[in-house]
Each structure stands twice: as structure tokens, then as C-alpha cells.
Amino acid sequence: MEFVPARDVDELVRFVTAEEWPFHRNPKPDPSEIRSSADTFWITEDGARIGLIRLLDLDDVDDGGNPLFDLRVTAAARGRGVGEAAVRWLTAHIFTNYDTNRIEATTREDNHAMRRVLDKTGYVQEAHYREAWPASDRVYDSVGYAILRRDWQGRA
């Protein structure tokens, strides 16, 4: 599996709008939202794009802010360890290239696969936000996780 910078914005828009992302705040994002993305990396396998990682709030790190990330794995590639590999990679990438002490992640309460990935990769559940994730069918609870640099260094 490789993590390749996404430089072609049009291809990024095609990829994200090609399917629905049920556990994201906006399962069908507008192309203009995608075009304004921060640092984005493709997740590839045998040359095929099977997912993407967007690193968010990196500009805030210098002011003491904490980066977040958006991880999307195509339906066909789920359940094969792609998410875990991606979170391990992005955690190392952020702690290696940015001066931050923590990385945050938030997911929907019913996204059990992502919650398992976060647990397996050293992220600690720190919060449970009631009715904080609006979706088309209802409002879900949101669960907040984080990993500290020292936690990551202890696992590496």
C-alpha cells in the first residue's frame, strides 16, 4: 500500500463524488468543498486508488492547535486493514513532519470499524458528544479520540 500526494484536484473530486460515504458528516460532498481541501494523499494498492487521507487544520499547529484528519476507504477495499495502515501512516507522517503534541479524530458512534482502528493504533477515546453528528436520517452521537506524541513514540 502506498500513500501518494493528491495533486490532481479534478481526479480527487471524481473519486470523492463517485460513491457515498455513510459515516462522514456529509456523505455526498459538494465538489467545491473537495477543491478547498488541505493536504490530501491517495491510498493506492497495485496502482489503484482505494482511499484517501485529508490532513486538516495543519495551519493551526503553529498556534497550538491540533490537526485532524479525514479518512475515506472505498467500499470494495474495506475490511482488509487499509484503515489501520492509513491511520498508522498518517500519525507517523504528522508527528514526523509537524511540531504538534497531539492529533485528534472524531467519528460517528456507530462507525465501529473506525473506532476499532483508532483503538488499535493507539488513539484514546476522550469524549462522547451526544447528538453532535447530524445525518440525513437522524442526529448521531460523536466520539472523540486523540493520540499524544509520547504515546506514539512509546508504540513506534
Side-chain angles (χ1 to χ4, degrees):
M1 189 171 325
E2 285 187 87
F3 302 94
V4 181
R7 293 187 177 96
D8 183 347
V9 176
D10 291 333
E11 182 58 30
L12 181 63
V13 168
R14 279 191 290 281
F15 182 87
V16 175
T17 58
E19 62 181 270
E20 190 162 316
W21 306 96
F23 291 108
H24 288 78
R25 209 172 277 285
N26 183 355
K28 295 291 279 182
D30 182 83
S32 64
E33 291 175 49
I34 300 161
R35 289 182 192 289
S36 66
S37 294
D39 293 323
T40 302
F41 296 85
W42 292 114
I43 304 170
T44 64
E45 186 176 66
D46 299 326
R49 292 176 176 154
I50 60 170
L52 66 84
I53 301 166
R54 291 187 310 152
L55 304 178
L56 310 167
D57 296 342
L58 292 173
D59 294 341
D60 296 339
V61 168
D62 291 338
D63 297 325
N66 302 306
L68 297 159
F69 61 89
D70 176 20
L71 172 62
R72 297 173 191 249
V73 176
T74 60
R78 293 180 194 145
R80 299 185 300 156
V82 174
E84 183 179 346
V87 171
R88 288 189 192 286
W89 178 85
L90 75 87
T91 303
H93 177 76
I94 291 172
F95 282 138
T96 301
N97 294 292
Y98 297 91
D99 185 25
T100 187
N101 186 49
R102 65 186 269 128
I103 304 167
E104 296 179 356
T106 306
T107 192
R108 237 170 59 177
E109 65 178 312
D110 60 333
N111 190 348
H112 301 291
M114 187 65 197
R115 293 179 72 180
R116 277 191 304 276
V117 163
L118 292 167
D119 287 336
K120 287 165 91 174
T121 56
Y123 284 70
V124 175
Q125 182 180 333
E126 295 184 335
H128 189 108
Y129 304 102
R130 297 179 307 148
E131 297 182 6
W133 195 294
S136 61
D137 58 341
R138 64 175 251 225
V139 178
Y140 291 85
D141 289 0
S142 175
V143 185
Y145 291 79
I147 189 168
L148 302 178
R149 180 180 290 277
R150 71 172 178 262
D151 299 334
W152 172 73
Q153 289 170 328
R155 296 175 66 96

